[in-house]
Amino acid sequence: MKCDHCDKQATFHITERVGEQEHWEERHLCESCARDYLSKPSEADIQSSLASALAQHLKIGQTADELAKLDKKTCPMCGISFFEFRSHGRLGCPHDYVCFEPQLMPLIENIHGEKTHTGKRPRRYAKGLDQQTQLIRLRKEMQRAVQKEDYERASQLRDEIRELEDEA
Amino acid sequence: MIKLEELAGQCGEWLRGSGPDSDIVVSSRIRLARNLADFTFMRKCTGLDRASIERTLRERLGRIEQWDSVSFIDVNGLDEVDRQFLVERQLISRELADADGSRGVLVDANEQFSVMVNEEDHLRIQVMNSGLDLMGAWQRINQIDDLIERHVTYAFHERLGYLTACPTNVGTGMRVSVMLHMPALVLTRHLERVFRSLQRISLAVRGLYGEGSQAMGDFYQISNQITLGKSEEELIAQVSEVAQTLIEYERKARNFLVENGLKELHDRVSRAYGLLCTAQTISSEETMALLSSVRMGVNLGLIRDVEIPTVNKLFIHTQPAHLQKIRGTSLSTADRNIERAHYLQRHLGRRTHDESTENN
Ligand SMILES: [Zn+2]
Ligand SMILES: [Zn+2]
């Protein structure tokens, strides 16, 4: 049998679960391709299944125009665009779960088959994402103050952050 | 502060080869992905943000009194061999090793847990136990998570749970993995069929150890694929159940080999052992494959001169960065193969040891 990736003889046969579907993939690889493949972190596989789930979902739900418009949508907190998220599969900040919610929720349901967390909860956490967003905003402002060497403002902001965190 | 040179000489707790079903299960691992509420995720972090996250976490987690044996290793300040060394030891991920900018890892002295800082998420907490002991690992990591939570505010969503940089981890943020040694299933060519029969659960199965083949030493890792909508205990139960099934199949395959070809099996493991004891130069791939046979041989009582913790240790200590740390100098591939052969000779079998003293 030939290697899936090149013309050499396949000596490694790997079977693995791919994605959320009841789907197994067999890979037949030569030694050097197998080494490349296996040194790839497992999260990368999950990543590629994420990308394909996303592509599939967008293809069904959106026209090209809608997609182009959607791609330009950006998070006001971290500035990530939907296009950037869908090309890299990583979100920019907690607020993205809110501002991209209409697109993310079907994707999350597709990946996990569920949409509600039922596990552990931290004893304290920022009440509502507003408060979290606020924290990130204050933290950024504080950094800018430090850069401008406005230490008075910076320490003021630090106190505000502490207060918010204590409230949580 | 932990010295990497000292780490190289010792052995992680999870390699001690004890715990339930440790003839087949090498380790049980749980990791939790967590993010701080007051920073953007890594993708949108500036260098300044990264440094600030690292500083904040070092300072706050430094206050945890129960952690007096925990040290922080600044991964950004390490050279490539040292980073590779931490990867081989499974204390950090390949991603953390290869990333740029401020990043590091908190490690406890027994290497039972580690907390990666600035990996894909701000925090990646990891606990590794020897054998099949997921509930033990969960209790420990749950406590660690509680301790950390007293000092930081996590990004958490009422309905979606712990918020992570990648939506594949949202919810519990938990990945539960069991590393199994399944040489008999590989040898009897039943592995693929067994994996296929486990389809009803969403699990990722993959071979283990970067440097090679089935020379991955016949190690396979199973882990949960989903993280949302099930409690931590439910996710653990799922992975445990599959692990139990795989253990059963591997036992059956071993029995089959013993009953239907004991001579051949004994021959195979003895040759593997002999090669490891006498080789003068040996690659990492060959070492893994031979050690895998020896490990099965010891577990079946066919080899009596060596114990499982030693074999477990050799899998890790014969990897490239470990050899170089132990030797204390950087080595070319050819030199590593010689060093590896010497290292194996020193740690296996009295017979060779006697010969080598005669030679001296
Ligand atoms: Zn190939
Ligand atoms: Zn954002």
Side-chain angles (χ1 to χ4, degrees):
Chain A
M1 191 181 289
K2 257 195 199 168
C3 170
D4 293 346
H5 295 179
C6 70
D7 283 338
K8 277 182 265 178
Q9 179 78 15
T11 47
F12 298 99
H13 309 281
I14 301 163
T15 308
E16 54 189 5
R17 224 20 238 280
V18 189
E20 173 61 17
Q21 305 85 0
E22 297 287 296
H23 179 58
W24 286 78
E25 259 183 38
E26 281 181 43
R27 295 170 213 279
H28 307 282
L29 303 167
C30 71
E31 181 163 350
S32 70
C33 293
R35 187 173 315 152
D36 282 355
Y37 180 73
L38 291 166
S39 60
K40 219 175 53 173
S42 59
E43 303 268 322
D45 304 329
I46 294 170
Q47 197 48 41
S48 71
S49 78
L50 169 69
S52 67
L54 189 59
Q56 196 185 7
H57 163 63
L58 290 172
K59 213 162 45 197
I60 299 165
Q62 257 81 20
T63 65
D65 271 4
E66 281 171 333
L67 188 59
K69 211 169 133 198
L70 177 60
D71 273 348
K72 291 207 185 83
K73 193 172 172 185
T74 55
C75 165
M77 275 315 306
C78 68
I80 197 171
S81 67
F82 191 74
F83 177 76
E84 184 179 347
F85 162 65
R86 90 183 165 86
S87 4
H88 295 98
R90 297 288 185 282
L91 294 163
C93 81
H95 186 66
D96 301 356
Y97 281 98
V98 176
C99 73
F100 299 136
E101 186 178 1
Q103 293 73 43
L104 272 181
M105 277 321 294
L107 172 70
I108 286 173
E109 231 185 309
N110 185 335
I111 298 168
H112 299 278
E114 301 274 351
K115 49 186 178 183
T116 311
H117 176 60
T118 58
K120 183 175 182 177
R121 289 168 173 272
R123 218 161 311 152
R124 62 192 183 112
Y125 53 92
K127 293 291 175 287
L129 277 175
D130 280 356
Q131 203 175 339
Q132 284 182 31
T133 317
Q134 180 74 352
L135 278 171
I136 295 177
R137 191 177 296 135
L138 289 171
R139 171 80 60 185
K140 288 212 152 143
E141 224 178 291
M142 181 173 85
Q143 255 179 29
R144 271 195 296 272
V146 170
Q147 274 169 337
K148 282 189 287 183
E149 301 188 1
D150 183 352
Y151 296 113
E152 196 177 329
R153 176 77 186 131
S155 80
Q156 220 171 18
L157 286 162
R158 185 203 308 240
D159 291 345
E160 274 182 59
I161 292 171
R162 290 230 171 108
E163 241 167 72
L164 257 186
E165 283 188 334
D166 287 343
E167 264 174 47
Chain B
M1 176 68 201
I2 293 187
K3 286 234 169 55
L4 295 190
E5 285 67 24
E6 281 168 23
L7 271 190
Q10 70 185 47
C11 220
E13 270 288 304
W14 61 276
L15 281 173
R16 73 195 143 97
S18 60
D21 301 307
S22 56
D23 55 331
I24 294 167
V25 178
V26 179
S27 64
S28 303
R29 162 159 51 174
I30 299 182
R31 77 113 170 88
L32 297 175
R34 298 286 187 255
N35 285 281
L36 302 178
D38 49 349
F39 287 92
T40 54
F41 294 150
M42 298 314 300
R43 182 158 186 90
K44 284 295 174 188
C45 276
T46 60
L48 221 61
D49 291 328
R50 296 181 71 106
S52 178
I53 292 166
E54 187 188 301
R55 189 162 9 88
T56 306
L57 285 173
R58 284 183 74 168
E59 183 193 296
R60 303 230 181 141
L61 304 189
R63 292 182 206 151
I64 299 176
E65 286 166 13
Q66 292 89 329
W67 284 13
D68 47 8
S69 75
V70 173
S71 3
F72 181 83
I73 300 172
D74 171 15
V75 173
N76 195 34
L78 298 180
D79 65 26
E80 207 189 319
V81 172
D82 285 349
R83 293 199 304 264
Q84 176 62 29
F85 171 80
L86 293 175
V87 173
E88 287 174 4
R89 252 182 132 76
Q90 314 213 7
L91 289 172
I92 67 171
S93 62
R94 182 84 266 157
E95 289 93 322
L96 191 80
D98 293 345
D100 292 307
S102 302
R103 63 199 193 281
V105 61
L106 288 146
V107 181
D108 87 301
N110 295 322
E111 296 173 63
Q112 278 173 310
F113 77 87
S114 70
V115 182
M116 284 187 275
V117 173
N118 290 348
E119 211 246 23
E120 181 183 303
D121 296 290
H122 299 151
L123 292 136
R124 285 281 176 101
I125 313 164
Q126 172 185 284
V127 162
M128 264 215 281
N129 279 5
S130 186
L132 184 60
D133 181 23
L134 285 173
M135 273 322 281
W138 165 240
Q139 278 160 10
R140 184 184 291 265
I141 204 166
N142 193 20
Q143 274 172 7
I144 292 169
D145 186 47
D146 285 345
L147 280 175
I148 295 176
E149 187 202 305
R150 278 186 216 161
H151 300 268
V152 302
T153 308
Y154 285 147
F156 185 85
H157 185 285
E158 195 59 51
R159 183 167 37 87
L160 288 172
Y162 294 93
L163 298 179
T164 50
C166 184
T168 50
N169 296 318
V170 78
T172 56
M174 182 170 82
R175 195 77 59 207
V176 180
S177 313
V178 175
M179 197 210 296
L180 299 120
H181 185 227
M182 302 193 282
L185 282 176
V186 174
L187 205 60
T188 55
R189 305 188 184 281
H190 276 78
L191 196 62
E192 292 185 17
R193 204 186 308 165
V194 168
F195 283 165
R196 223 177 293 265
S197 73
L198 297 172
Q199 283 187 21
R200 59 202 181 79
I201 298 180
S202 184
L203 281 174
V205 181
R206 59 177 299 106
L208 206 80
Y209 285 117
E211 274 232 327
S213 58
Q214 264 172 6
M216 305 156 324
D218 306 321
F219 289 107
Y220 290 85
Q221 180 169 294
I222 55 166
S223 49
N224 61 310
Q225 193 106 318
I226 67 155
T227 55
L228 180 70
K230 294 210 160 44
S231 72
E232 286 80 359
E233 286 85 356
E234 287 170 320
L235 292 171
I236 286 166
Q238 279 194 340
V239 176
S240 279
E241 197 187 311
V242 175
Q244 298 283 7
T245 311
L246 288 173
I247 290 166
E248 227 171 273
Y249 280 121
E250 170 66 18
R251 290 242 159 81
K252 276 188 195 146
R254 288 183 187 184
N255 286 340
F256 175 88
L257 288 175
V258 168
E259 281 161 20
N260 295 283
L262 186 59
K263 261 274 164 300
E264 289 82 356
L265 185 66
H266 201 161
D267 179 65
R268 185 188 177 95
V269 303
S270 304
R271 281 169 186 271
Y273 186 52
L275 261 173
L276 287 170
C277 291
T278 53
Q280 297 299 311
T281 167
I282 189 164
S283 71
S284 175
E285 285 83 353
E286 191 180 1
T287 304
M288 289 277 202
L290 296 173
L291 277 174
S292 175
S293 285
V294 168
R295 194 176 190 279
M296 176 165 61
V298 174
N299 279 325
L300 293 175
L302 299 173
I303 297 174
R304 297 180 189 279
D305 310 358
V306 52
E307 289 175 348
I308 286 297
T310 307
V311 181
N312 285 351
K313 184 177 107 166
L314 290 174
F315 274 108
I316 305 287
H317 284 203
T318 56
Q319 291 183 53
H322 268 77
L323 287 174
Q324 296 177 69
K325 285 312 278 182
I326 291 164
R327 187 62 204 267
T329 168
S330 86
L331 300 166
S332 67
T333 307
D335 286 342
R336 285 206 296 270
N337 290 347
I338 295 169
E339 184 67 25
R340 183 175 295 114
H342 288 166
Y343 189 84
L344 287 164
Q345 284 181 22
R346 283 203 302 278
H347 288 82
L348 290 171
R350 268 171 320 233
R351 187 174 41 100
T352 5
H353 180 73
D354 290 342
E355 275 170 20
S356 65
T357 36
E358 267 168 44
N359 289 345
N360 285 340

